[in-house]
Amino acid sequence: MKTIATGLLAFATVVFGLATWAGAAGAGAWAGYVAAAAEAGMVGALADWFAVTALFRRPFGLPIPHTAIIPTKKDAFGKSLGDFVGDNFLSGPVVRERLAAIGIARRLGEWLAAPGSAERVTRETAAALRGVLAVLRDDDVQAVVAEAVTRRAAASSVAEPAGRLLGRVVADGGHRGVVDLVAVRAHDWLTEHHEEVVQRVTQRTPGWTPRFIDQQVGERVYKELMRFVTDIRDDRQHPARGAIDNFLADFATELQHDPATIARVERAKADLLARPEVQDLIASSWSAVRTLVLTAAEDEQSELRRRIAAGLRSFGRRLATDRRLQAKTDGWLQDAAQYVVQTYRTEITSLISETVAGWDADDASRKIEANVGRDLQFIRINGTVVGALAGLLIHTVAVALGG
């Protein structure tokens, strides 16, 4: 394109020379018209050559003001470009309007509802989850989990919620099954440890009593214990059961309202949390959770992956048809996008300006010229043609007025 544009300049120069010579030789009035058109074409070509060249370099290397514009104004161009992008593309209203026109929620719902999409999301999510779990150090995670659970447990009151729970359990009779179990186990234990119970009792008798008396006392105590436990086991209305009901109800009330009881429970909780065994148990829970999640994530037929895929598919169908959910989801996305562009617009635009500022001036000028130079050469061609036509018109008007 440079060759063509320069060739037109050379052609106009040759025509101008020949027309001028022909006019001087008396060829006629037509030579003046041709010479005027060629001369104006030369001027237009030279002027546009200067304009195009001045964008990228100094013509003939001369320090003419306002030339080599791109190399000298590169940083200013980069800042202006960044400001332009920030003002016209990274503004909240523009982003919201564009996202509203796209309808992301509806498209996302249709895609999730399409066959295979939910499974693909589940598969990619499982792969990402496995990657995250692979890079996490178990010791670090266990320490974080233990610290978080301990801090949360220490900050939460245990007595009052436990009192409310115990009160509801007692009111509903839910504790009676535990009492039945304890009574049965106590009866079975006494049945299996007859000799041991009698021996423990005889060991507590005075040393001066005869041996057979001690044995009789032990048997008597054992029989009374068996009768008492058997009565509790078999009689639902036994006074001991009522005493247990009253005790638990009173204890539930104290847990909720008695400061002394609440303080004792909180101290017991703190002592329990401080025990190494409890800390080890809390920390080791991460290993169990990690193994469970990894196993479920790797197995394509696991219940976890099937439920996630089914949930995504169901959500996609609802999102594709429910206009209220679409509007709500689009609103969330628009709010999030607006927050991002408003919060990080300076960082994004500075990336443009700093990138342009980091370019080498001459190299940037060559790259830009290589991309847009072909079109710029048409300016030179048009300047030659338009200049020639303008020169011909001006000469014609001048001759007509002079005539």
Side-chain angles (χ1 to χ4, degrees):
M1 294 306 300
K2 282 184 177 181
T3 301
I4 294 174
T6 305
L8 283 177
L9 172 59
F11 176 74
T13 303
V14 171
V15 171
F16 173 75
L18 293 175
T20 302
W21 172 78
W30 64 268
Y33 288 92
V34 175
E39 183 179 12
M42 292 166 57
V43 173
L46 289 172
D48 287 339
W49 167 83
F50 182 88
V52 171
T53 302
L55 287 173
F56 304 103
R57 63 186 63 84
R58 299 191 184 278
F60 303 113
L62 299 176
I64 302 173
H66 304 293
T67 58
I69 295 174
I70 291 178
T72 57
K73 299 292 185 179
K74 172 178 63 67
D75 295 349
F77 288 157
K79 186 178 185 307
S80 298
L81 178 60
D83 293 340
F84 175 79
V85 172
D87 295 338
N88 295 278
F89 296 94
L90 297 180
S91 64
V94 171
V95 172
R96 296 187 72 93
E97 180 180 357
R98 182 57 180 164
L99 290 177
I102 294 175
I104 294 179
R106 178 182 57 81
R107 294 188 180 188
L108 176 62
E110 293 173 350
W111 183 79
L112 285 175
S117 298
E119 287 76 10
R120 178 180 177 183
V121 174
T122 304
R123 184 168 55 253
E124 297 299 333
T125 302
L129 182 60
R130 290 196 301 269
V132 171
L133 293 178
V135 300
L136 289 177
R137 293 180 55 190
D138 288 346
D139 293 342
D140 295 337
V141 178
Q142 288 174 354
V144 171
V145 171
E147 194 273 337
V149 172
T150 302
R151 184 176 65 251
R152 177 65 178 174
S156 302
S157 175
V158 173
E160 296 180 31
R164 290 193 295 270
L165 176 61
L166 179 60
R168 287 195 294 269
V169 170
V170 173
D172 295 339
H175 66 293
R176 289 169 186 163
V178 178
V179 175
D180 292 341
L181 177 62
V182 172
V184 171
R185 294 298 298 164
H187 180 273
D188 294 343
W189 187 88
L190 287 173
T191 302
E192 295 174 1
H193 298 81
H194 173 213
E195 295 297 333
E196 182 179 349
V197 172
V198 173
Q199 183 180 0
R200 291 294 182 89
V201 173
T202 57
Q203 289 176 351
R204 299 295 189 275
T205 57
W208 48 268
T209 57
R211 184 68 178 174
F212 74 95
I213 297 294
D214 295 342
Q215 186 69 24
Q216 291 296 323
V217 172
E219 291 290 343
R220 182 64 178 177
V221 171
Y222 175 78
K223 290 179 181 179
E224 290 298 324
L225 283 175
M226 282 292 295
R227 183 183 62 80
F228 180 72
V229 172
T230 302
D231 290 344
I232 294 177
R233 184 194 65 180
D234 298 336
D235 185 3
R236 295 282 178 169
Q237 305 300 323
H238 194 279
R241 287 179 175 265
I244 293 174
D245 293 346
N246 294 333
F247 167 77
L248 291 177
D250 293 342
F251 185 55
T253 302
E254 292 176 358
L255 284 174
Q256 299 177 68
H257 305 293
D258 182 36
T261 302
I262 294 174
R264 285 196 296 271
V265 171
E266 294 300 323
R267 285 196 299 272
K269 178 195 70 176
D271 294 340
L272 180 63
L273 289 174
R275 293 187 65 84
E277 298 86 350
V278 176
Q279 291 296 314
D280 292 341
L281 177 62
I282 295 173
S284 63
S285 63
W286 162 249
S287 299
V289 172
R290 181 178 183 274
T291 302
L292 177 65
V293 172
L294 277 176
T295 302
E298 292 173 354
D299 184 6
E300 294 186 359
Q301 302 302 319
S302 67
E303 186 67 19
L304 176 63
R305 290 185 61 164
R306 286 202 301 268
R307 286 183 177 272
I308 292 177
L312 287 172
R313 195 178 300 107
S314 175
F315 176 72
R317 286 194 292 265
R318 183 184 173 194
L319 190 60
T321 56
D322 190 337
R323 295 189 177 277
R324 292 183 59 187
L325 181 59
Q326 290 174 10
K328 184 179 294 186
T329 304
D330 284 334
W332 290 338
L333 294 173
Q334 292 168 19
D335 291 341
Q338 182 173 356
Y339 171 79
V340 170
V341 298
Q342 289 181 346
T343 304
Y344 300 103
R345 179 168 60 183
T346 302
E347 286 77 2
I348 297 173
T349 56
S350 64
L351 175 64
I352 297 174
S353 59
E354 291 173 2
T355 300
V356 174
W359 290 349
D360 177 75
D362 295 334
D363 186 53
S365 179
R366 285 192 296 270
K367 288 181 178 179
I368 296 174
E369 185 177 10
N371 282 276
V372 302
R374 180 181 178 85
D375 295 323
L376 292 177
Q377 297 306 314
F378 278 106
I379 296 177
R380 295 177 57 190
I381 296 172
N382 293 335
T384 305
V385 175
V386 172
L389 294 175
L392 178 61
L393 178 62
I394 293 172
H395 182 75
T396 301
V397 172
V399 170
L401 292 177

